[in-house]
Amino acid sequence: MKNILLVCLGGMSTSLMVQKMEKAAQKDNIAVRIWAVSEAEAHNNFNEADIVLLGPQLKFKYNEYKKILGDKPVEIINIADYGRMQGEKVLKWALAILAGKE
């Protein structure tokens, strides 16, 4: 099972993305745990995550998170995919990144 952490400023907008991603995972029978937290809670969740996806509004935190997480993938969700809540597309993208790490 893969663990995908989404981080945004308040954790609210990413909650909807989590729902869309979970729906896509269920449709395709993909075993994955996806959850969203606010930027303030992110550090308490890093150890559980296989990949950390940042909402576009946290683009400014990318380098900081990359430094903290080392080899763990950290990516910024495409603003168009985020705005349109393209959960299936974001899920497949995250899983492709993880597949490349193995």
Side-chain angles (χ1 to χ4, degrees):
M1 178 181 290
K2 301 297 181 191
N3 296 290
I4 302 172
L5 172 62
L6 280 68
V7 182
C8 75
L9 287 175
M12 298 304 242
S13 57
T14 50
S15 293
L16 181 55
M17 178 62 79
V18 165
Q19 291 174 9
K20 301 281 186 173
M21 292 172 72
E22 287 176 335
K23 185 176 180 179
Q26 288 172 354
K27 181 184 76 134
D28 293 335
N29 292 318
I30 299 170
V32 65
R33 176 180 172 230
I34 309 165
W35 75 106
V37 298
S38 68
E39 193 271 328
E41 300 170 11
H43 294 270
N44 296 328
N45 288 268
F46 287 154
N47 287 338
E48 298 175 50
D50 296 312
I51 185 170
V52 176
L53 303 180
L54 304 179
Q57 68 274 36
L58 279 181
K59 185 177 182 178
F60 71 97
K61 288 282 193 176
Y62 175 80
N63 289 331
E64 177 186 330
Y65 284 13
K66 196 74 175 146
K67 189 175 185 179
I68 291 168
L69 294 169
D71 290 337
K72 188 174 291 193
V74 178
E75 299 292 339
I76 301 164
I77 300 171
N78 176 284
I79 194 164
D81 295 337
Y82 193 81
R84 292 184 185 110
M85 289 292 146
Q86 297 290 322
E88 184 171 7
K89 188 174 180 183
V90 173
L91 174 64
K92 288 181 179 179
W93 170 65
L95 293 173
I97 292 167
L98 289 171
K101 289 282 296 173
E102 294 174 357

